[in-house]
């Protein structure tokens, strides 16, 4: 993206940082994300409790191997609380960052895979994410476990979807100057899930690609925001998953007017 001009943050941005107690990490890789995650589940849940966080998610790449360990670790934080209230003191949010391809049955060449984060919202969501995991390995495995949009649409009930990092389909379209395709993809995902259950994920780790994609959610002035904030036009809320970045004009969960 050397030819792209990175739009810097506004000088008069709101430096209101997230309070740990009101922030929930929804995109987290544990040791079960091979060659990617370094976080140990036991350490993760203990730190979340220490910071007073009400919940935390685990979204490993292409698998849910750590789901049971994750739940048990949250229960063991305070077993008396679990017995008394029927839930862990730190709520475990089960999830997975899936590898997405165009057609899962196509197994030739080396297709570039995109990422998509799914979070469990209820019991039906857990059944569906488990089904998607099984299908990704049984039917879609080719170098990595994969699903496609057709399969996702069949098992989307009870799930919350995040557009993922810069490896997601929407950010990749934006980075490749395919703005119209990015819009179509965002609308497709929005319509695939229940109202309010698809979010444009916002990250800021200082990468120039992230800053460019962020410009399509925010902008340095009203004119730019009017031209680029597709989420307002199509009623797609934004979700911040980095707790050390300033909150510009959104909170953890936004419900935009219909």
């Amino acid at each position: 993206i050397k030819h792209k001009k990175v739009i810097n943050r506004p000088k008069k941005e709101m430096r209101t940082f997230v309070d740990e107690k009101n922030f929930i990490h929804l995109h987290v890789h544990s040791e079960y994300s091979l060659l990617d995650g370094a976080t140990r589940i036991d350490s993760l849940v203990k730190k979340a409790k220490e910071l007073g966080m009400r919940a935390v998610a685990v979204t490993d790449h292409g698998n849910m191997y750590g789901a049971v360990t994750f739940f048990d670790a949250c229960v063991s934080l305070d077993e008396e609380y679990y017995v008394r209230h029927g839930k862990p003191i730190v709520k475990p949010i089960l999830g997975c960052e899936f590898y997405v391809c165009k057609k899962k049955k196509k197994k030739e060449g080396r297709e570039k895979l995109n990422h998509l984060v799914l979070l469990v919202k209820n019991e039906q969501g857990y059944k569906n994410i488990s089904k998607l995991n099984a299908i990704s390995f049984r039917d879609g495995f080719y170098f990595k476990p994969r699903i496609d949009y057709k399969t996702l649409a069949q098992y989307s009930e009870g799930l919350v979807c995040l557009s993922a990092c810069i490896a997601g389909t929407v950010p990749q379209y934006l980075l490749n100057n395919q703005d119209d395709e990015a819009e179509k993809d965002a609308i497709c995902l929005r319509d695939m899930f229940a109202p309010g259950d698809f979010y444009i994920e916002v990250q800021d780790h200082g990468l120039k690609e992230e800053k460019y994609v962020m410009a399509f959610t925010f902008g340095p002035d009203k004119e730019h925001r009017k031209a680029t904030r597709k989420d307002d036009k199509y009623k797609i809320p934004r979700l911040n998953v980095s707790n050390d970045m300033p909150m510009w004009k959104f909170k953890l969960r936004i419900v935009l007017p219909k």
Side-chain angles (χ1 to χ4, degrees):
I1 60 170
K2 292 181 179 180
H3 63 288
K4 296 181 180 292
K5 181 180 179 181
V6 176
I7 300 174
N8 297 320
R9 295 174 176 175
K11 294 181 179 179
K12 295 182 179 179
E13 62 184 326
M14 285 177 24
R15 288 290 178 179
T16 304
F17 288 85
V18 185
D19 179 4
E20 285 86 352
K21 293 182 180 180
N22 294 319
F23 182 84
I24 299 173
H25 282 287
L26 297 177
H27 189 155
V28 181
H29 297 298
S30 75
E31 68 262 40
Y32 290 95
S33 289
L34 302 180
L35 301 178
D36 192 12
T39 304
R40 301 290 180 179
I41 288 179
D42 287 341
S43 301
L44 171 68
V45 298
K46 288 177 181 177
K47 190 64 176 179
K49 181 184 178 183
E50 179 185 328
L51 294 173
M53 292 183 171
R54 296 167 291 133
V56 66
V58 167
T59 55
D60 284 313
H61 273 304
N63 73 80
M64 292 182 66
Y65 298 150
V68 174
T69 301
F70 177 41
F71 183 87
D72 290 344
C74 288
V75 171
S76 65
L77 288 173
D78 192 331
E79 293 186 4
E80 291 185 5
Y81 182 94
Y82 179 72
V83 172
R84 187 164 62 250
H85 298 277
K87 59 182 181 181
I89 191 169
V90 175
K91 181 179 181 179
I93 300 175
L94 304 178
C96 178
E97 185 168 17
F98 282 88
Y99 294 107
V100 180
C101 62
K102 293 182 178 179
K103 293 183 179 180
K104 70 177 186 297
K105 292 186 178 180
K106 182 181 178 181
K107 299 181 179 180
E108 57 185 29
R110 191 67 186 268
E111 179 185 354
K112 183 178 180 180
L113 302 178
N114 294 116
H115 297 179
L116 196 69
V117 176
L118 298 180
L119 301 172
V120 172
K121 187 170 69 171
N122 51 36
E123 183 177 353
Q124 185 59 46
Y126 179 73
K127 292 179 181 179
N128 281 335
I129 201 172
S130 299
K131 185 72 174 179
L132 288 168
N133 266 273
I135 291 173
S136 70
F137 278 94
R138 185 191 64 207
D139 301 331
F141 195 93
Y142 183 64
F143 290 95
K144 292 182 179 180
R146 310 169 305 155
I147 60 172
D148 53 26
Y149 277 8
K150 182 179 179 180
T151 306
L152 180 60
Q154 291 179 297
Y155 301 100
S156 61
E157 183 181 352
L159 295 173
V160 172
C161 179
L162 313 182
S163 62
C165 55
I166 54 174
T169 51
V170 174
Q172 281 297 303
Y173 279 131
L174 293 175
L175 290 169
N176 286 285
N177 286 324
Q178 296 176 284
D179 299 354
D180 291 339
E181 293 301 319
E183 287 187 38
K184 292 178 183 178
D185 193 74
I187 294 170
C188 175
L189 288 169
R190 180 203 64 183
D191 295 342
M192 198 179 296
F193 295 86
D197 282 348
F198 171 62
Y199 291 81
I200 297 295
E201 187 172 326
V202 180
Q203 296 186 8
D204 185 4
H205 302 98
L207 302 176
K208 61 182 181 180
E209 293 87 352
E210 289 178 337
K211 292 182 182 296
Y212 179 81
V213 171
M214 283 172 64
F216 282 78
T217 303
F218 310 105
D221 49 53
K222 292 182 179 179
E223 182 179 354
H224 186 78
R225 284 195 294 270
K226 183 178 179 181
T228 59
R229 276 173 54 176
K230 308 301 182 185
D231 50 344
D232 284 352
K233 180 179 178 181
Y234 297 111
K235 306 299 183 292
I236 300 174
R238 304 176 296 278
L239 183 69
N240 172 33
V241 295
S242 301
N243 71 330
D244 58 345
M245 66 180 290
M247 309 296 283
W248 285 358
K249 285 195 175 180
F250 62 102
K251 297 181 179 179
L252 181 63
R253 182 179 176 88
I254 283 187
V255 180
L256 297 178
K258 293 182 180 181

